[in-house]
Amino acid sequence: MVVIVRPDVPQEKIDHLVRWLKDKQLVVREYQGQQQTVLGLIGDTKPVDIDMLKSLDIVESVADMTDTFKASNRKIHPDDTVIRIGPGKGPAIGGGNFALIAGPCSVESREQILFVAGEVKAAGANFLRGGAFKPRTSPYDFQGLGSEGIDLLVQAREATGLPIVTELMDHRSLELFLEKEVDIIQVGARNTQNYDLLKELGKVKSAILLKRGLAGTIKELLMSAEYIMANGNENVILCERGIRTYEYAYTRNTLDLSAVPVLKALTHLPVVVDPSHGTGRADLVPSMSLAAVAAGADGIIVEVHNDPQKALSDGAQSLTPGAFRDLALKIGKIREALQ
Ligand code: PEP
Ligand code: MN
């Protein structure tokens, strides 16, 4: 249920109503927007008499919220969520703040990550990505450098000032991620419905980049975000990264760009697009990135490698630093055109 409070109601009257609602065993999410205060009631609302609520002088309107996703629902949080990364002047995502996240699929060596970090920063990226713990289809493929990879990302952050984005596969590595102050913890497509992992991530305050599952629906993605938020962490960034369809010959996944405006309408969370995993092809990454920006994405996450042909993972979908520079310029132009 969503309760819209009349403008200019004194806070103590709102507090009184919230206490009364909480006594009915409801979770009450109070959102104070620029225009209005909205109360989102989560739980069994049957004991609440909707007509009585409507008749209160401080209440403007009451509506049902039958959607299964609650905390992420735009109905109870009308403005975009803006997630600020790091203390002070760190970059933000959402509400008009665009995240240009770039870097290799995997951190391979100190030289590689420092070089790519410098290149993507010079091109205008405001976040560095790089996998240290890699989910690979084959156990015989490169599995990532693990904790050494995290240390190398930290060095790249120190060298460039770029906040780092890297995937957490197992809750047992969470302590390491917190100790190294990983700025954005990625939940990969294979773990989107690992609910125990999501619950653990609900207990921390770090920003979480939550990818859409390999064959996940939009609703399943929202429910996964709900797991993190219901457990206390509001800093969730949604990521469309393509889903598995019957097409496999020409694209690795089918990038669902319609998910961007759908998600932006349903939720207040930032939405970013990963055209690298979304297509699996470097030649498709620029056009799909520009389309994602035009569709209203709050950011893109793109794989960039110093020498894609020799990459230890995902070389076929990795841009060279030069191609990324061209793309970053074009993204700037599309964003200007949209203003
Ligand atoms: C990655 O970002 O390198 C990755 C493995 O992504 P996804 O979980 O989307 O496949
Ligand atoms: Mn990859």
Side-chain angles (χ1 to χ4, degrees), residues 97-252:
N97 302 284
F98 192 80
L100 187 51
I101 309 169
C105 178
S106 300
V107 179
E108 298 174 4
S109 68
R110 185 169 186 277
E111 296 65 40
Q112 177 240 18
I113 193 66
L114 287 177
F115 176 76
V116 177
E119 290 289 306
V120 299
K121 163 135 191 189
N126 49 4
F127 292 89
L128 173 67
R129 68 148 285 149
F133 295 89
K134 294 303 303 177
R136 304 306 302 280
T137 303
S138 166
Y140 308 116
D141 285 342
F142 177 59
Q143 303 286 303
L145 296 178
S147 61
E148 189 197 336
I150 302 285
D151 284 338
L152 295 176
L153 281 167
V154 169
Q155 287 179 31
R157 174 173 63 191
E158 277 161 11
T160 58
L162 293 178
I164 53 178
V165 184
T166 193
E167 177 165 353
L168 176 78
M169 293 209 323
D170 187 313
H171 70 92
R172 286 170 294 187
S173 312
L174 182 54
E175 219 173 283
L176 171 73
F177 277 50
L178 297 177
E179 186 196 318
K180 302 292 177 178
E181 297 180 14
V182 167
D183 301 284
I184 302 183
I185 301 177
Q186 175 173 319
V187 176
R190 289 152 192 82
N191 264 320
T192 309
Q193 291 184 307
N194 180 342
Y195 299 122
D196 283 341
L197 183 65
L198 301 178
K199 284 180 194 166
E200 288 303 311
L201 292 173
K203 296 181 197 155
V204 302
K205 289 283 158 253
S206 318
I208 310 296
L209 180 84
L210 178 65
K211 292 213 176 180
R212 184 169 176 182
L214 291 178
T217 64
I218 290 173
K219 195 175 198 180
E220 283 165 344
L221 175 62
L222 290 173
M223 293 317 293
S224 293
E226 203 71 20
Y227 264 93
I228 301 171
M229 299 178 83
N231 282 280
N233 186 355
E234 308 277 313
N235 300 317
V236 180
I237 302 156
L238 303 172
C239 179
E240 163 59 39
R241 51 78 71 202
I243 44 173
R244 185 159 292 177
T245 63
Y246 45 78
E247 174 57 49
Y248 61 88
Y250 296 105
T251 52
R252 178 180 181 182

Side-chain angles (χ1 to χ4, degrees), residues 69-100:
F69 54 99
K70 310 282 184 191
S72 62
N73 203 310
R74 202 181 264 285
K75 287 178 190 151
I76 63 167
H77 187 304
D79 302 319
D80 284 352
T81 280
V82 177
I83 299 180
R84 293 200 179 276
I85 308 298
K89 296 206 187 72
I93 306 181
N97 302 284
F98 192 80
L100 187 51

Side-chain angles (χ1 to χ4, degrees), residues 255 273 275 284-294 300 302 319 327 331:
L255 185 66
V273 170
L284 302 181
V285 168
S287 53
M288 289 301 98
S289 300
L290 299 178
V293 177
I300 57 164
V302 180
L319 296 183
L327 173 59
I331 287 173

Side-chain angles (χ1 to χ4, degrees), residues 105 129 134 252 277 303 313-314 317:
C105 178
R129 68 148 285 149
K134 294 303 303 177
R252 178 180 181 182
H277 295 86
E303 288 184 340
S313 60
D314 285 349
Q317 65 194 36

